[in-house]
Amino acid sequence: MPDSVLTAEHVVKHYPLKGAGFSRRKGLVLAVEDVSFCVLAGEVFGLVGESGCGKSTLGRVLLRLEEPTAGRVFFNGQDLSGFERPRLRQFRREAQIIYQDPYSSLNPRRRIGDLVGEPLDIHGIGTPPERQERVAWLLKVVGLLPEHARRYPHEFSGGQRQRIVIARALALNPRLLLADEPVSALDVSIQAQVINLLKELQAEFKLTYIFISHDLSLVEYIADRVAVMYLGRLVELAEKPDLYRDPLHPYTQALLSAAPVPDPHAKKNRILLGGDVPSPVNPPAGCSFHPRCRESGERCSVEAPVFRELTPGRWVACHNR
């Protein structure tokens, strides 16, 4: 089995909730609760779930863009919390992020060449002519032209801007790329082009991806293993074929039943969930999914299930499994 590039151990992230104005409401937003998994070298690790389940927050904690409230994250076997400034600076070269909105992640006042070359400037890599040469090469790698370096972000389409963001993320030859909903802001036809580009770049540069998305079809296409998140917790983790063929957790089953199928004659047994997603400020006792679960029992409302490995590589958090 390949080595682990990144490992999360019981990661927790809470945000304080403070009242403002006439509001006296205080408490904690339980964004991420006791999350553990590992990402293997060379794989695409998919992280899926509804909006607001904590996927993006977890991604930021994994790259130490935010500090965890509890738990630890290891990169190549080293604890990120122990990284001082020099080692953390090196880590920034080895792990990069692709944000959801390509326009807001690009400074509109700077030229594309400066934006793509900025990581090289920050880390002092190469001479100015060498940096310009690398920027031109990176733009060609992602399907753009070297002369595009003289233009500004507003002169490009959404798909082209995301290619620019990808080129910037590749500038330092990272080992790990975290893609946070990288195509959700793009048209469907452009989504396919960017996803195919990511697959090509993974093979060419031997990259490891953490791919965050709410689109199950995209994750099925690109991922090797898939983790399903609900209200800040992982509820299932498995190899992609196993999870899509035989989902074990009731929440995963409901998600897959709602995913569209490109066959107008196909019949699906749609699982409708009752109620709304609970608030992370006041999550339910026991299993966080039990108020909406069709298999919920008395134990589910009082005892949180342990995220455990049922068979090699197959993890689930459910009392009924």
Side-chain angles (χ1 to χ4, degrees), residues 214-274:
H214 64 271
D215 190 327
L216 290 164
S217 299
L218 276 181
V219 172
E220 183 179 16
Y221 177 68
I222 195 172
D224 299 305
R225 288 190 302 147
V226 181
V228 182
M229 197 168 184
Y230 181 80
L231 205 64
R233 296 178 181 270
L234 293 189
V235 297
E236 188 165 356
L237 169 61
E239 296 284 342
K240 176 182 64 178
D242 296 333
L243 186 134
Y244 280 82
R245 181 182 63 252
D246 182 28
L248 297 181
H249 197 279
Y251 177 62
T252 310
Q253 295 169 0
L255 281 183
L256 290 175
S257 76
V261 175
D263 181 358
H265 304 293
K267 293 183 179 180
K268 296 195 67 177
N269 182 22
R270 177 70 189 276
I271 300 174
L272 299 177
L273 297 177

Side-chain angles (χ1 to χ4, degrees), residues 13 73 99 138 171 174 176 209 254 261 278 311:
K13 181 61 180 178
V73 179
Y99 289 101
L138 286 166
L176 173 69
Y209 287 154
V261 175
T311 58

Side-chain angles (χ1 to χ4, degrees), residues 122-133:
I122 291 173
H123 290 272
I125 297 175
T127 62
E130 289 172 339
R131 294 172 193 168
Q132 291 182 0
E133 184 178 347

Side-chain angles (χ1 to χ4, degrees), residues 30 33-34 230-235 249 278-279 282-293 296-307 317-320:
L30 311 183
E33 282 289 295
D34 195 22
Y230 181 80
L231 205 64
R233 296 178 181 270
L234 293 189
V235 297
H249 197 279
S279 169
N282 186 27
C287 175
S288 58
F289 186 61
H290 88 264
R292 310 175 70 195
C293 182
S296 176
E298 183 177 345
R299 183 184 180 190
C300 302
S301 61
V302 295
E303 180 185 342
V306 176
F307 188 62
C318 182
H319 292 307
N320 299 320

